[in-house]
Amino acid sequence: MASAAIFSSMRRRRSPSLDAFLAPVDLTDVALVETLAAVSADLIASFSGKTLPFQRKNSRSLIRKVEVFVVLLEYLRDSSSNLSSTASVCFKELYLLFYRSKILLDYCFHSSKLWLLLQNDSISGHFHDLTQEISTLLDVFPLKELILSDDIREQVELLQKQASRSKLLIDKHDEELKLKFFSFLDQFEKERIPDPVELYSFFVERLGIRGAKSFRVEIEFLEEQISNHEGDVEPTISVLNGFVALTRYCRFLLFGFEEDEVELRNGKQKRQKGLITQEIADTFLKIPKDFCCPISLDLMRDPVIISTGQTYDRSSISRWIEEGHYTCPKTGQMLIHPRLVPNRALRNLITQWCIAHGIPYDPPENSDSSAETFAAASSSKAGNRANKATAALLIQQLTNGSEGAKTIAARGIRLLAKTGKENRAYIAEAGAIPHLKVLLSSSSAVAQENSVTAMLNLSIYEKNKSRIMDEEGCLGSIVQVLRFGHTTEARENAAATLFSLSAVHEYKKRIANEGGAVEALAGLLREGTQRGKKDAVTALFNLSTHVENCARMIESGAVTALVAALGVEGVSEEAAGALALIVRQPIGAEVVGNEDTVVGGLIGMMRCGTPRGKENAVAALLELCRSGGSAATEKVLKAPALAGLLQGLLFTGTKRARRKAASLARVFQRCENASLHLGGLGVGYTFAGNSAANSTRTTFASDVSVAGSVSSRTSFASDVSVTGSVASDVSIPMSISVQVL
């Protein structure tokens, strides 16, 4: 309950991101005093005369204390007095206190107003801590040893008395505002919409948050606190999410869309800096192997245990059983019964891992209390209702607003749909998709980019995939953005949307048959940015898992693009994975085998690639030999250094890579000239994964590992992370990369 947070006890105080400062060493007495005088004077010059929205009394009190020290230090500097060892130690400690004071005041002046309000008790505690440390310092300070004028001595003694009597000061006015802020959230929690007049009075008149731009600054700051949240910090993430939702609602309710429209007309809308640095955002986060389904090899949403004791994602194993299989995909054992038992312990671990790493994770709709726990941790009931009210305002503008208002509404939906299946579900149910589809064809680059990314975010929710695909002309409009989008970001996000939609098996053929879709993905893979190449290759991989798409992949030029991508860092693993699927069919093997550089590219990955890349490369070579006939086999056989690379995989490769290497060796053993090229290595091939290699192959599953990974590469915040439901035997990091303005 939001109201419970109001009366919660004050949490353990933690200084706001203090850097490690060291006191100056090896300074003469004169230099030490001069340094302190300069530091304290700079502190006063920076903050004296400035007014904080909150903590006014505490900040002014601290500045007045520092002013007394300035008078003392300037007097000592001018008199050039020698310091005793005790005085020298005290002054070095004072140096640290000055810097801590500066950091605290900086923190207060540069934090958002709403965050200062929420942290009112804690920040008051920081000011009190500094006052107590000043009091302790003055208690041991050898004031009598210094030659001072009477007035300065009296000022220091008075400061000592005042500091020793100081008590924690929590401004009543600030506390009243904080309680008022919580009361608005409580009203949403009780299914009441707060009075707009009261909201205007609070945000605009009392807090001074005037205009859409000021609201955006407040929202972005609160979102940054959520992304950097620590477990014992109050308010909790759920309450902070509620306040973000409340503030976003007020932004559109109180200021509408006009101010943003002016910025759009004047070309002043700028990209926002990411809440996490680009270096961090570009880094892939590896999903723990135990959290991935052995069939789809994606992050499991609903892990279940079958009769053999193995755990799979419910959707994957259910489809496996429905297709007529009665064995365990991993062990090959016969299933005693078809019952699926929820693995609640593993689902809780997956939930906690996703929360800790900020990864969007939608639990199954029929999940039990563990999913409810996750929902409570990710968003509050009040926040959901505030988001729902915001969505209603946005969709109203999409329906009836001006062109500029529609653009801003699309951006609002884009941000609102970043996280939370409740938001995505309600936005789609309220009818946003048809209006976003219209904006996909807008002549405005900003409108098009916002709408396609909003469509991407909405597509993460499983039920929304069908809504998008069933909307007449929507798929075609997304493909048009991919082909002719006004901006690079729009084209890349269109590719990511196709990847998200292609997670549903029956949609893969529809997407591939949409005019120009595969051609555009191939073009993006050849000529796009690194991020665009990643989006394109993952989409092509998904489409290649449908056996009927092989011809389209060939005629569109996607095969040639995938072969060329074998030498491109960052996408080579995925390209090899897609090729391994395409060459399963004779027509695919023939076309791939005719590419001059394919064998060399795969051999290069076996030599220098990652473990997953080596798995995919040897899998592609094996399938090429199996399906491509003697000509393809001979071409692979003649590849230089292949024998040594296979032997290396047999000893150092992953389990699946060893199995693939053993299978490829046996293919060569059946060839007439195998002994000439492989020497005596054939004997050694039988010891690595022999039994596994002799087992019956299963459609697209179980031959080679698929490693799931999530990338968050954003210029505002990560919109979404998508894990497609892909059954394959290929190692490929499943990733979606998106940008938010």
Side-chain angles (χ1 to χ4, degrees):
M1 299 289 287
S3 57
I6 305 175
F7 305 104
S8 63
S9 59
M10 186 185 303
R11 67 174 179 84
R12 176 171 56 86
R13 298 186 197 128
R14 177 174 297 152
S15 296
S17 304
L18 296 179
D19 293 329
F21 290 102
L22 298 177
V25 294
D26 299 330
L27 292 180
T28 63
D29 292 347
V30 173
L32 177 59
V33 171
E34 288 180 347
T35 300
L36 284 170
V39 169
S40 58
D42 178 68
L43 195 155
I44 296 300
S46 299
F47 301 105
S48 183
K50 294 183 179 180
T51 303
L52 280 170
F54 307 107
Q55 298 294 336
R56 294 176 183 175
K57 294 180 180 179
N58 281 323
S59 61
R60 288 170 181 169
S61 175
L62 179 59
I63 291 172
R64 285 195 297 268
K65 293 179 177 66
V66 176
E67 288 174 343
V68 174
F69 283 112
V70 169
V71 174
L72 170 64
L73 291 167
E74 289 179 347
Y75 183 89
L76 292 175
R77 180 191 61 192
D78 296 339
S79 63
S80 301
S81 303
N82 293 326
L83 302 177
S84 65
S85 59
T86 303
S88 179
V89 170
C90 289
F91 277 137
K92 289 179 181 179
E93 181 66 24
L94 183 61
Y95 180 92
L96 298 178
L97 288 176
F98 282 162
Y99 268 99
R100 289 183 57 195
S101 300
K102 184 177 187 301
I103 291 173
L104 180 57
L105 291 170
D106 267 333
Y107 183 80
C108 292
F109 273 100
H110 294 101
S111 293
S112 80
K113 295 177 180 179
L114 294 177
W115 179 249
L116 286 178
L117 194 61
L118 293 173
Q119 295 295 308
N120 187 51
D121 293 353
S122 176
I123 295 175
S124 296
H126 293 315
F127 278 106
H128 183 58
D129 289 344
L130 281 173
T131 300
Q132 287 185 316
E133 293 183 38
I134 290 173
S135 175
T136 301
L137 176 65
L138 291 176
D139 286 341
V140 298
F141 188 75
L143 188 60
K144 295 181 180 179
E145 296 178 7
L146 300 179
I147 302 175
L148 301 172
S149 63
D150 292 341
D151 61 328
I152 293 178
R153 188 180 300 276
E154 289 175 359
Q155 289 184 54
V156 176
E157 290 174 345
L158 180 60
L159 174 60
Q160 181 182 6
K161 292 178 182 178
Q162 292 175 343
S164 63
R165 295 196 302 265
S166 67
K167 296 180 180 180
L168 175 64
L169 174 61
I170 299 178
D171 191 286
K172 292 183 179 180
H173 176 264
D174 295 351
E175 197 65 15
E176 288 175 0
L177 287 176
K178 178 181 175 182
L179 293 174
K180 186 67 174 177
F181 195 24
F182 273 96
S183 72
F184 292 133
L185 203 60
D186 285 338
Q187 290 182 53
F188 271 113
E189 192 168 3
K190 296 172 182 176
E191 301 186 3
R192 296 200 305 265
I193 302 296
D195 184 356
V197 175
E198 289 188 14
L199 291 173
Y200 184 88
S201 173
F202 177 79
F203 282 97
V204 180
E205 296 176 354
R206 303 184 71 178
L207 296 186
I209 303 176
R210 299 180 174 89
K213 183 176 180 180
S214 297
F215 269 95
R216 287 200 302 271
V217 171
E218 294 289 331
I219 292 169
E220 289 166 11
F221 193 95
L222 291 179
E223 288 180 328
E224 187 170 5
Q225 304 316 305
I226 293 173
S227 67
N228 298 326
H229 196 275
E230 299 179 54
D232 64 340
V233 176
E234 292 183 3
T236 62
I237 287 181
S238 62
V239 175
L240 281 177
N241 279 326
F243 283 125
V244 169
L246 168 62
T247 308
R248 183 179 288 117
Y249 169 73
C250 293
R251 172 257 177 275
F252 289 109
L253 175 70
L254 301 179
F255 291 97
F257 304 82
E258 291 77 10
E259 185 170 332
D260 280 333
E261 284 190 71
V262 173
E263 291 186 8
L264 284 174
R265 287 196 298 269
N266 295 336
K268 294 181 179 179
Q269 184 157 340
K270 299 179 180 179
R271 302 185 191 279
Q272 299 293 330
K273 185 178 179 181
L275 297 182
I276 51 178
T277 63
Q278 192 65 32
E279 292 79 10
I280 296 175
D282 286 342
T283 302
F284 285 97
L285 182 62
K286 184 177 181 181
I287 300 175
K289 181 179 178 181
D290 292 339
F291 294 174
C292 296
C293 175
I295 296 177
S296 70
L297 299 156
D298 294 329
L299 183 68
M300 287 188 279
R301 296 177 64 247
D302 190 9
V304 293
I305 303 172
I306 62 174
S307 62
T308 61
Q310 300 296 325
T311 296
Y312 299 90
D313 200 12
R314 183 184 295 274
S315 61
S316 297
I317 192 63
S318 295
R319 190 165 77 174
W320 170 266
I321 295 173
E322 289 169 2
E323 290 174 351
H325 299 285
Y326 300 100
T327 58
C328 174
K330 193 170 184 180
T331 65
Q333 295 175 275
M334 291 296 297
L335 298 179
I336 301 173
H337 56 75
R339 290 196 301 273
L340 305 177
V341 180
N343 191 336
R344 295 184 177 88
L346 180 58
R347 188 164 61 201
N348 285 336
L349 290 174
I350 294 173
T351 295
Q352 293 169 14
W353 183 83
C354 288
I355 294 173
H357 292 86
I359 296 174
Y361 177 74
D362 287 339
E365 280 119 40
N366 60 348
S367 58
D368 55 10
S369 59
S370 63
E372 294 172 0
T373 301
F374 174 80
S378 62
S379 61
S380 68
K381 184 165 63 174
N384 288 337
R385 287 170 178 158
N387 282 331
K388 189 173 182 179
T390 303
L393 292 175
L394 295 172
I395 294 172
Q396 183 181 7
Q397 287 298 318
L398 275 181
T399 306
N400 303 315
S402 64
E403 289 303 311
K406 289 180 179 179
T407 299
I408 300 306
R411 181 179 185 273
I413 289 176
R414 170 186 187 170
L415 299 179
L416 193 59
K418 282 194 306 180
T419 57
K421 70 176 183 180
E422 296 87 356
N423 295 342
R424 296 173 190 139
Y426 177 76
I427 290 171
E429 290 167 0
I433 290 175
H435 301 294
L436 291 173
K437 181 197 73 173
V438 174
L439 284 181
L440 291 174
S441 304
S442 173
S443 59
S444 166
V446 178
Q448 185 184 74
E449 186 178 325
N450 280 326
S451 59
V452 73
T453 311
M455 198 76 76
L456 166 61
N457 292 351
L458 292 174
S459 73
I460 306 313
Y461 183 51
E462 289 300 315
K463 291 183 178 180
N464 286 348
K465 297 183 193 298
S466 61
R467 292 188 175 107
I468 293 172
M469 294 295 289
D470 293 343
E471 177 65 29
E472 184 178 358
C474 193
L475 176 60
S477 296
I478 294 171
V479 172
Q480 287 299 103
V481 175
L482 172 63
R483 298 177 66 189
F484 309 114
H486 299 308
T487 66
T488 301
E489 288 79 7
R491 294 191 294 273
E492 291 171 348
N493 288 349
T497 306
L498 294 183
F499 168 70
S500 173
L501 296 172
S502 64
V504 180
H505 186 71
E506 52 265 34
Y507 295 156
K508 294 174 182 177
K509 186 169 177 58
R510 282 185 58 188
I511 294 171
N513 289 337
E514 187 68 32
V518 182
E519 288 85 352
L521 289 172
L524 188 62
L525 178 57
R526 285 191 298 265
E527 302 173 0
T529 64
Q530 186 64 23
R531 178 192 156 207
K533 292 176 186 290
K534 177 70 73 173
D535 292 330
V537 77
T538 50
L540 288 172
F541 169 82
N542 248 11
L543 297 179
S544 67
T545 62
H546 197 296
V547 294
E548 297 181 20
N549 284 342
C550 183
R552 280 289 294 129
M553 300 289 283
I554 294 170
E555 69 184 31
S556 65
V559 169
T560 302
L562 288 168
V563 172
L566 292 175
V568 179
E569 184 178 0
V571 297
S572 56
E573 292 179 8
E574 296 92 325
L579 290 172
L581 296 174
I582 292 171
V583 298
R584 284 175 175 269
Q585 300 185 53
I587 184 174
E590 180 182 356
V591 173
V592 173
N594 290 333
E595 294 285 342
D596 294 333
T597 61
V598 64
V599 174
L602 293 171
I603 292 295
M605 288 187 63
M606 289 179 62
R607 179 183 295 110
C608 304
T610 64
R612 293 195 301 273
K614 292 177 181 179
E615 288 178 14
N616 283 356
V618 71
L621 291 173
L622 174 61
E623 297 300 337
L624 183 59
C625 292
R626 284 175 170 171
S627 304
S630 58
T633 302
E634 184 178 358
K635 188 174 183 179
V636 174
L637 182 65
K638 291 181 178 180
L642 178 59
L645 293 173
L646 283 176
Q647 188 177 34
L649 280 181
L650 287 169
F651 285 98
T652 64
T654 64
K655 181 179 178 180
R656 290 183 175 88
R658 293 198 303 269
R659 187 174 70 241
K660 286 297 185 181
S663 298
L664 184 55
R666 278 188 293 277
V667 171
F668 291 155
Q669 286 176 340
R670 292 192 294 268
C671 295
E672 182 176 64
N673 298 323
S675 60
L676 294 176
H677 295 279
L678 298 180
L681 286 176
V683 178
Y685 289 133
T686 60
F687 73 84
N690 219 5
S691 59
N694 288 327
S695 62
T696 303
R697 285 168 50 198
T698 59
T699 61
F700 282 157
S702 79
D703 285 345
V704 183
S705 68
V706 179
S709 69
V710 179
S711 72
S712 300
R713 292 170 294 164
T714 64
S715 61
F716 176 84
S718 57
D719 275 358
V720 289
S721 296
V722 184
T723 53
S725 176
V726 180
S728 73
D729 67 342
V730 184
S731 169
I732 172 171
M734 308 302 290
S735 68
I736 276 286
S737 51
V738 291
Q739 269 189 324
V740 180
L741 288 176

